[in-house]
Amino acid sequence: MGCSVGPNTFFAMQNIVEAIKDKYHSTSPEIEFQVFFNDHVTNDFNILFKSLFSNQKPYFAAAIPGSFYGRLFPSCSLHIAYSCYTLQWLSQVPKDMKNKRRIHYDGASIEVWNAYVAQFHKDMEVFLSARAEEIVPGGLIVLVLPAIPSEIHYSKIGYRVFTFLESSLIDMVNEGIVEESLVDSFNFPVYFPSTEEMTKAVEKNGCFSIERMELTNPQSGIDANSFINHIRAGFEEMFTIHFGSKIADEMFERTLEKIEEISAWLEDEYCKTTRQLFLVLKCKINL
């Protein structure tokens, strides 16, 4: 779920298929696999499948376009659902939220943060309820997503990159290049939960048991220039749609000029406050 265009999604599916083959080789040597690749309807599945079928894969494959915040499959039709670095994306920006001269809840008011928290829990309930209907009893959900330790305050989240992008936009507002109202009407629909929040969301839903939960450190050693280019690859389209390509280009170029500040943040704070959450859930009931 959230396959994009590869190739990382292929590595994940290969690992899952091989693990199941190894486990059931003696009892089901001829087991066959069907893998569904899901993403938004705007995803370029042509690129995905062109890459997929360039090499022989040990499974049948199909595309399932649509949001995973809702039903995608028939009842009891899945054994494993896998999602990597997608559940941090909310289904929408929280409604009726005033976040003047900011583009995220990082460093914003408690009211803004509460709006993001409420949207996250609403989305998780929808996601888990939909998967509970689609997954067979005993089936699994495997999730990997950025998260924060429970003891970290929301204003200290490790993804301060939003603040750097935001400051570039505000500089352009102050110089008369960008309308302030454009910035005020833009917010990233991204939320980084804590392990405590994820546990509460799963327990509130009641359809899954937590089989494994690990919080690990993200990759360290990345340089600031590569980090910003990585962020640009993931977020540029959203900025371009809202601000236009010219403003988006200049914003990222200005952010690259903050290399020293970003480097210091990566070295001193990023790995201390940002974590990667690995979560395995088992379906308890069939609705």
Side-chain angles (χ1 to χ4, degrees):
M1 295 183 175
C3 62
S4 189
V5 296
N8 290 343
T9 188
F10 303 141
F11 300 147
M13 294 304 98
Q14 185 74 23
N15 289 338
I16 291 173
V17 167
E18 291 301 324
I20 295 173
K21 280 185 173 181
D22 289 343
K23 183 173 183 178
Y24 294 103
H25 176 72
S26 60
T27 58
S28 303
E30 302 300 324
I31 188 170
E32 293 183 319
F33 297 86
Q34 170 78 69
V35 176
F36 298 101
F37 293 93
N38 158 254
D39 213 314
H40 288 293
V41 295
T42 54
N43 187 59
D44 196 334
F45 289 98
N46 289 325
I47 294 178
L48 177 77
F49 283 103
K50 184 178 181 180
S51 300
L52 176 66
F53 292 111
S54 63
N55 297 298
Q56 186 65 31
K57 299 298 179 184
Y59 50 76
F60 298 98
I64 304 292
S67 172
F68 52 55
Y69 289 122
R71 288 289 301 275
L72 290 168
F73 303 94
S75 298
C76 294
S77 61
L78 299 180
H79 292 87
I80 297 175
Y82 175 84
S83 176
C84 182
Y85 274 71
T86 54
L87 268 184
Q88 74 272 14
W89 287 96
L90 302 175
S91 64
Q92 63 181 28
V93 173
K95 293 182 178 180
D96 302 322
M97 182 184 65
K98 295 181 179 180
N99 198 19
K100 192 172 179 59
R101 293 171 73 93
R102 293 193 177 277
I103 62 173
H104 192 237
Y105 65 86
D106 183 18
S109 67
I110 188 67
E111 290 78 15
V112 169
W113 180 69
N114 284 335
Y116 270 87
V117 171
Q119 187 65 51
F120 166 76
H121 283 284
K122 179 181 179 181
D123 287 346
M124 279 301 299
E125 177 62 26
V126 172
F127 176 85
L128 292 173
S129 294
R131 303 295 83 78
E133 294 191 51
E134 299 165 347
I135 296 175
V136 301
L140 302 176
I141 298 179
V142 180
L143 303 175
V144 182
L145 68 156
I148 62 172
S150 296
E151 66 273 13
I152 297 294
H153 191 264
Y154 80 92
S155 63
K156 301 293 183 180
I157 66 167
Y159 244 65
R160 240 187 80 199
V161 64
F162 294 118
T163 306
F164 294 124
L165 297 174
E166 178 184 277
S167 67
S168 296
L169 281 173
I170 294 304
D171 288 343
M172 295 166 73
V173 168
N174 294 336
E175 294 170 23
I177 300 173
V178 178
E179 292 290 334
E180 185 172 330
S181 59
L182 265 181
V183 177
D184 292 347
S185 61
F186 180 84
N187 283 279
F188 266 109
V190 173
Y191 183 76
F192 306 103
S194 66
T195 52
E196 181 180 358
E197 286 177 308
M198 287 298 294
T199 300
K200 287 181 178 179
V202 174
E203 291 178 346
K204 179 183 178 183
N205 176 263
C207 297
F208 296 88
S209 61
I210 297 177
E211 299 297 303
R212 188 170 176 180
M213 178 181 285
E214 294 181 8
L215 204 59
T216 60
N217 288 326
Q219 179 183 1
S220 59
I222 186 172
D223 65 273
N225 191 75
S226 298
F227 185 81
I228 291 300
N229 286 332
H230 172 74
I231 295 300
R232 182 169 188 168
F235 297 140
E236 183 173 22
E237 182 179 5
M238 184 174 292
F239 279 105
T240 299
I241 291 173
H242 187 82
F243 293 100
S245 59
K246 184 177 180 180
I247 292 176
D249 285 341
E250 183 168 347
M251 180 202 66
F252 280 108
E253 290 302 319
R254 286 177 178 239
T255 303
L256 281 172
E257 294 173 2
K258 309 177 193 293
I259 285 294
E260 291 186 6
E261 186 180 357
I262 296 172
S263 296
W265 165 70
L266 284 170
E267 183 176 348
D268 298 336
E269 297 182 38
Y270 179 62
C271 289
K272 296 178 183 178
T273 56
T274 303
R275 297 290 186 271
Q276 178 175 277
L277 178 64
F278 176 71
L279 183 63
V280 180
L281 307 177
K282 178 180 286 187
C283 188
K284 297 193 293 187
I285 62 174
N286 179 24
L287 298 180

